Amino acid sequence: MTVTRTTGGRRRPQLAAFLRGRRARVTPADVGMPPGLRRRTPGLRREEVAQLSGVGVTWYTWLEQGRPINASAQVLDAVARTLRLDRSEREHLYQLAEVPYARDRETAAHRVSDEIQGIIDGLDPHPAVVYNARYDILAANAAYLDLFDLPALRRIGVRNVLWMLFAVAEPDCPLVCRDLELPVMVATLRGAYGRHVGEREWESFVRRLSAASPYFAELWNGGDVVRPGPRVKRFRHAAVGEIRMTSVSLSIDGMPDCRIVVYTPDDEESRRRTAELRGLRGGPVNAEREIPPS
């Protein structure tokens, strides 16, 4: 008879090995304990980890042995602090223990590095932008500002593309198929929201945008969920007319809740109009057209 091991059964030995390895590298001095005599353990003892973490010795021993026991996020956090795990190691611990990992609200990105800014600037004449999971605009290149250079959008003064698109009347919205595109964006937002339920910034954002836009509130209450993916979008611009763009999302190492979105012309006419739009720029982006501060 063939025995199929479950995902949990494969992860438990990995969890056991990971905890033993992390425990071995933490010395008593690291946690303010005397070294003691005749210590054969290279790092902390199991009972010391349990004591410092505020959990039972038997429970921690079983956890480190890879037994199928339940572990809460609070207990795993305590063990992670004792073992001095960094953010990547903490997330790995959660994955091995099969506990959902919620990133701290305080770690949410609000800016990008000069290297990332240089990458999206280098993508010009293709519009490129860095969004976090809430669609805050963390960085954009000049071509993106060209594409969204509409007076109605500039008057909003909010560094968030959902606010920009929901707060304007439909004739002023740069998306041609507004009723097709906005539901997808809200469903993408809700897909990310599951990782941030209860966080003050997220709850406030949803509440304020729902109050500002009944259409957003209707879509949000619908509960649809999708993941970001490539799409062909149609934009309108008063100077050059309609432009068809393919949008592609790219992940960013070290910024798991953020993505670069790049727009490329979908046909030859759109390519010509994109070049025409760039020609209207007439030099560097002036301060009036820059993204307003958060």
Side-chain angles (χ1 to χ4, degrees):
M1 182 177 66
T2 301
V3 177
T4 302
R5 300 185 69 187
T6 64
T7 300
R10 291 192 295 269
R11 289 185 179 184
R12 291 291 171 172
Q14 296 294 325
L15 173 63
F18 179 69
L19 288 172
R20 287 195 299 269
R22 301 308 94 177
R23 176 167 60 85
R25 73 178 187 181
V26 182
T27 67
D30 289 334
V31 293
M33 297 178 63
L37 300 175
R38 298 185 343 192
R39 176 178 289 271
R40 294 189 297 272
T41 304
L44 295 178
R45 300 186 178 100
R46 284 176 176 167
E47 57 268 26
E48 291 169 339
V49 174
Q51 178 185 354
L52 292 167
S53 303
V55 300
V57 175
T58 300
W59 183 91
Y60 178 77
T61 299
W62 286 359
L63 181 69
E64 194 175 288
Q65 289 174 344
R67 297 197 189 190
I69 61 174
N70 293 325
S72 68
Q74 291 79 8
V75 170
L76 288 180
D77 277 343
V79 171
R81 285 193 295 270
T82 298
L83 298 180
R84 306 167 72 88
L85 303 186
D86 62 25
R87 187 172 301 145
S88 297
E89 292 170 329
R90 185 183 297 251
E91 183 168 3
H92 186 60
L93 171 65
Y94 269 69
Q95 290 171 342
L96 294 178
E98 297 183 278
V99 173
Y101 178 75
R103 298 176 182 87
D104 297 335
R105 175 176 57 82
E106 290 75 14
T107 65
H110 293 286
R111 64 180 303 275
V112 302
S113 66
D114 292 340
E115 290 77 12
I116 297 298
Q117 182 67 61
I119 289 171
I120 64 172
D121 285 342
L123 290 169
D124 194 326
H126 299 310
V129 62
V130 179
Y131 295 132
N132 63 14
R134 206 167 50 237
Y135 282 97
D136 291 332
I137 302 173
L138 306 187
N141 66 8
Y144 179 90
L145 299 180
D146 290 340
L147 191 62
F148 285 85
D149 183 26
L150 299 175
L153 297 182
R154 293 201 301 271
R155 285 196 298 269
I156 294 170
V158 177
R159 198 184 181 104
N160 180 279
V161 74
L162 283 176
W163 271 96
M164 292 166 58
L165 297 177
F166 277 99
V168 297
E170 184 169 359
D172 293 323
C173 182
L175 293 175
V176 174
C177 300
R178 183 175 185 263
D179 290 340
L180 291 177
E181 297 300 337
L182 294 187
V184 174
M185 296 180 71
V186 174
T188 303
L189 178 75
R190 183 171 274 283
Y193 172 75
R195 302 189 298 272
H196 300 276
V197 174
E199 294 181 10
R200 182 179 59 82
E201 288 187 10
W202 273 78
E203 300 297 346
S204 174
F205 176 82
V206 171
R207 184 173 59 253
R208 290 184 295 110
L209 189 49
S210 296
S213 171
Y215 184 38
F216 172 83
E218 175 188 345
L219 294 174
W220 181 259
N221 292 331
D224 291 341
V225 173
V226 299
R227 293 180 60 85
R231 293 180 60 79
V232 176
K233 299 182 179 182
R234 294 163 57 195
F235 294 88
R236 63 166 63 92
H237 197 284
V240 300
E242 185 176 309
I243 304 174
R244 291 172 54 89
M245 291 284 200
T246 299
S247 67
V248 177
S249 295
L250 308 172
S251 61
I252 306 174
D253 286 345
M255 300 178 69
D257 243 11
C258 300
R259 64 192 187 277
I260 297 175
V261 178
V262 184
Y263 299 89
T264 56
D266 187 59
D267 52 47
E268 194 58 40
E269 181 63 20
S270 295
R271 188 170 292 106
R272 184 189 66 78
R273 291 180 177 179
T274 300
E276 183 181 349
L277 190 61
R278 186 189 190 196
L280 295 175
R281 190 183 306 163
V285 181
N286 59 54
E288 183 184 358
R289 294 174 58 244
E290 290 180 354
I291 304 171
S294 299

